[in-house]
Amino acid sequence: YTMICNVITDYATTDILIMPPHYNGYCACNTALVLWGGEFLFQTRYVSYMKHFTSKLFNPHGLSMNQNYVFDKEYFSSLNVRYTSDKCDVIDYGDRLPVMYRGLEDPRFIIWDDKLYVYGSRADVIEGKTCICIYSEDGETIVRSPFLFNRDIEKNWMAIPDKPFHFIYGHVHDEVNGFVEVKIENDCTKIVKIHAADLDGEIRGSTPLVKTDFGYITIVHKPIYKFGSFEYRHAFVLFDDDLNFIKISNWFVFHNNICEFCCGMSIVDDTV
């Protein structure tokens, strides 16, 4: 486990960046991926606004605060484009409440019982809430916050690939100090178990879990405040087959310290 965490958190000498093009004036961000039908399937969230960033390395506009939104509407809108190597489709999740944030945010893929699902956050389906929504060929499931937490904003759940409608809800430090496993039944979220992990600081989910020979692996992230702006850091987390916490890697960035975010990970032929 130590070898795995040390190797994969070193900077890569070579890598591949998939940079989707702009689409009808929308900017691409937060690409999910999954191996489906023998090839990689991607889904990119396209947004109708732009972010300008500030850091010592990159601040062309001389702004004083990170993640400055620049847009020409009274709301934030998004659409999702799903594609393979030879096919591209816009996925329409429907117009809902006229709120400031519209559309499916931060979509992630998961395969349960050989069926493809995509899930993410929406602020336009429950008044005053941002909730998790799950989509498949069977339709939409709107998921409410676990009763114990009852939060107004739900994001970054980590789906468990061999346990349908089970998620690692996240690492909750103040209340329970562990990774919370939940199960979705209709629109009700039930807490299954709290897997103890005595970790410091705010840790948020990023990718769905990936099954491995030793258990599971995922990527998490945390925000930090540094040099007058917020940045993200990432880490790999390992669980055993019973979802007991094993280890967390060193915190790292992929390319820069501005606003990276990882929505998907696959391991194919021992390659991450």
Side-chain angles (χ1 to χ4, degrees):
Y1 304 137
T2 301
M3 180 190 69
I4 292 173
C5 285
N6 286 343
V7 169
I8 59 184
T9 56
D10 285 340
Y11 282 103
T13 54
T14 60
D15 58 0
I16 298 172
L17 281 177
I18 298 172
M19 300 296 291
H22 285 208
Y23 182 87
N24 287 349
Y26 283 66
C27 304
C29 64
N30 298 355
T31 298
L33 84 159
V34 71
L35 190 65
W36 175 246
E39 65 177 336
F40 279 114
L41 180 66
F42 300 90
Q43 184 160 307
T44 295
R45 180 181 175 226
Y46 278 81
V47 296
S48 62
Y49 55 90
M50 296 181 64
K51 281 184 177 182
H52 291 286
F53 305 109
T54 65
S55 73
K56 292 184 177 180
L57 297 176
F58 179 70
N59 186 10
H61 300 278
L63 300 169
S64 60
M65 183 178 179
N66 196 13
Q67 300 188 35
N68 292 267
Y69 291 92
V70 179
F71 61 105
D72 58 1
K73 298 187 178 80
E74 68 277 10
Y75 59 88
F76 298 90
S77 182
S78 65
L79 54 86
N80 283 272
V81 177
R82 185 177 296 179
Y83 52 96
T84 62
S85 59
D86 60 357
K87 186 179 180 182
C88 182
D89 296 301
V90 175
I91 308 299
D92 183 7
Y93 292 101
D95 293 328
R96 308 297 276 275
L97 298 173
V99 296
M100 187 172 185
Y101 291 90
R102 302 181 188 178
L104 181 68
E105 300 180 30
D106 304 338
R108 295 161 168 90
F109 286 123
I110 189 66
I111 297 171
W112 284 321
D113 293 335
D114 297 322
K115 182 182 291 186
L116 180 68
Y117 295 81
V118 62
Y119 69 96
S121 298
R122 294 193 69 165
D124 57 351
V125 293
I126 300 177
E127 187 71 38
K129 305 280 187 180
T130 295
C131 65
I132 299 292
C133 292
I134 307 171
Y135 296 91
S136 71
E137 61 186 19
D138 298 326
E140 176 189 59
T141 300
I142 300 171
V143 181
R144 298 183 181 272
S145 183
F147 178 76
L148 176 64
F149 302 105
N150 195 27
R151 293 172 173 166
D152 289 337
I153 298 176
E154 291 293 356
K155 304 179 78 172
N156 302 321
W157 294 17
M158 295 173 280
I160 304 171
D162 53 347
K163 300 179 73 172
F165 294 96
H166 282 68
F167 296 82
I168 294 294
Y169 173 75
H171 178 263
V172 185
H173 178 67
D174 295 332
E175 293 97 333
V176 294
N177 205 20
F179 287 95
V180 181
E181 180 184 352
V182 298
K183 179 183 180 181
I184 308 305
E185 292 182 351
N186 297 319
D187 67 345
C188 182
T189 306
K190 297 183 178 180
I191 295 176
V192 177
K193 185 177 180 180
I194 297 171
H195 303 273
D198 190 12
L199 301 173
D200 293 328
E202 185 177 1
I203 297 174
R204 303 175 181 178
S206 287
T207 70
L209 272 61
V210 175
K211 194 74 180 73
T212 68
D213 292 339
F214 56 79
Y216 304 88
I217 189 169
T218 187
I219 295 175
V220 297
H221 76 281
K222 69 176 179 180
I224 62 172
Y225 190 75
K226 190 175 182 180
F227 301 126
S229 64
F230 281 101
E231 303 172 356
Y232 282 175
R233 294 291 185 272
H234 311 276
F236 289 86
V237 172
L238 281 61
F239 300 93
D240 67 15
D241 283 328
D242 296 319
L243 291 168
N244 297 309
F245 170 75
I246 298 174
K247 186 178 179 66
I248 187 169
S249 75
N250 295 327
W251 293 95
F252 66 95
V253 297
F254 290 98
H255 290 274
N256 62 61
N257 59 1
I258 299 175
C259 189
E260 295 177 329
F261 189 76
C262 186
C263 279
M265 173 176 63
S266 289
I267 300 178
V268 181
D269 296 330
D270 295 326
T271 298
V272 179

